[in-house]
Amino acid sequence: MSGAPPVLRIERSGPGGSVATVTLARPEVRNAFNAELIAALHEAFGALATESAEALRAVVLAGDGPTFCAGADVEWQRAARNLTMEQNQADAGNLFDMLSAIDTCPAPVIARVQGAALGGGMALCAVSDVVIATASARFGFTETRLGIVPAVISPFVVPRIGEAHARALFLAGERFRAERALQIGLVHEVVEEEGALAARIEGLLAELLAAGPTAARAAKRVIRDLRDRTVGEARTLVTELAARQRVSPEGQEGLTAFLEKRPASWLSD
């Protein structure tokens, strides 16, 4: 609709604008998913994936207002009652494709979680590389409470938290605290409040910017590439990657800078 506020906001910061902050901008509905937001996220991460390692060093995924993401929008769910089986499957496919676009983003993705991450909001955590949450944040795979299933998000969530935790949490749809999200591996760090959250994100970005741009991306990629590999396949993959990075200009510069006790060329002042 013309004049409607954007459902997504993208801002650049850091050296040369190399840090992108992608913010869900529907605070009036706790940043819940609808078809428009899903499409906007898919498009945004598709575009970010085309940027070079030097142009895009990290992505912060955030939510406007007091809540990170409360899952599916009520109005979107209401409209889904009138869709055919084929239309519902296409709708679910759009959600899967959006999550896949974030999951395969070549740059490191940090999720900044406050308030709540429910349903699909949990999937946003699962497809992020690092998740930092406030202690007061609440989590939950709440789909079964609505008579539906966390099916589309499961290929992203189950590898993250494991089958045992998925069995314990998917079925009843109970909500749980950030401490438990930390224990199951969905969250990596818990901080006391939003001021500490902002400070920790800044600190983490500084650490990521200290890493070689192509090395950070290669480190992320090798984790995905090792899935379902045999020992022999894994050996070939990792030895080739290690050798390629060492002889690359970035690898040579990093090792030389270390030996010469000076900052590497990619470090900003």
Side-chain angles (χ1 to χ4, degrees):
M1 178 187 298
S2 177
V7 297
L8 198 68
R9 188 170 65 253
I10 303 175
E11 299 161 302
R12 304 299 288 245
S13 60
S18 58
V19 175
T21 299
V22 179
T23 304
L24 314 185
R26 304 186 75 220
E28 69 282 0
V29 291
R30 301 194 300 162
N31 297 314
F33 288 145
N34 64 2
E36 186 182 3
L37 180 56
I38 289 170
L41 278 166
H42 190 184
E43 180 180 359
F45 276 89
L48 290 171
T50 67
E51 297 191 26
S52 70
E54 292 74 21
L56 182 68
R57 305 286 299 277
V59 181
V60 178
L61 185 57
D64 245 349
T67 301
F68 174 63
C69 179
D73 181 87
V74 173
E75 293 303 318
W76 186 48
Q77 294 279 46
R78 181 176 289 117
R81 294 183 306 171
N82 300 316
L83 298 180
T84 65
M85 172 69 179
E86 292 74 17
Q87 290 170 325
N88 265 298
Q89 191 165 358
D91 224 21
N94 291 335
L95 175 59
F96 182 95
D97 293 343
M98 178 272 284
L99 293 171
S100 183
I102 302 175
D103 191 41
T104 57
C105 178
V109 177
I110 305 168
R112 185 186 190 283
V113 180
Q114 81 285 357
L118 305 173
M122 299 279 279
L124 292 180
C125 296
V127 295
S128 298
D129 300 301
V130 186
V131 181
I132 315 293
T134 58
S136 60
R138 295 294 180 266
F139 300 81
F141 301 101
T142 52
E143 287 87 348
T144 57
R145 298 292 180 99
L146 302 175
I148 55 178
V149 182
V152 176
I153 70 174
S154 60
F156 307 99
V157 171
V158 175
R160 181 67 165 262
I161 69 174
E163 184 179 323
H165 291 301
R167 286 184 176 220
L169 296 169
F170 274 19
L171 310 187
E174 66 176 318
R175 300 189 186 198
F176 52 94
R177 296 176 178 270
E179 181 181 355
R180 187 170 186 184
L182 180 67
Q183 292 171 345
I184 66 176
L186 186 73
V187 165
H188 297 97
E189 296 181 41
V190 175
V191 297
E192 283 305 310
E193 37 76 37
E194 288 198 47
L197 180 61
R200 180 61 188 118
I201 295 292
E202 287 303 310
L204 181 55
L205 286 172
E207 296 290 343
L208 285 171
L209 291 171
T214 65
R217 289 190 173 205
K220 176 174 179 173
R221 187 173 62 249
V222 73
I223 297 167
R224 287 181 51 82
D225 289 347
L226 281 173
R227 294 175 185 172
D228 302 320
R229 300 271 183 164
T230 66
V231 173
E233 290 170 340
R235 183 182 187 280
T236 299
L237 174 71
V238 299
T239 54
E240 286 181 357
L241 174 60
R244 187 183 314 116
Q245 191 67 28
R246 283 176 185 171
V247 301
S248 71
E250 183 176 292
Q252 291 291 300
E253 164 62 12
L255 291 170
T256 302
F258 173 76
L259 294 171
E260 295 178 352
K261 295 181 170 49
R262 62 171 174 81
S265 61
W266 59 79
L267 292 171
S268 67
D269 293 336

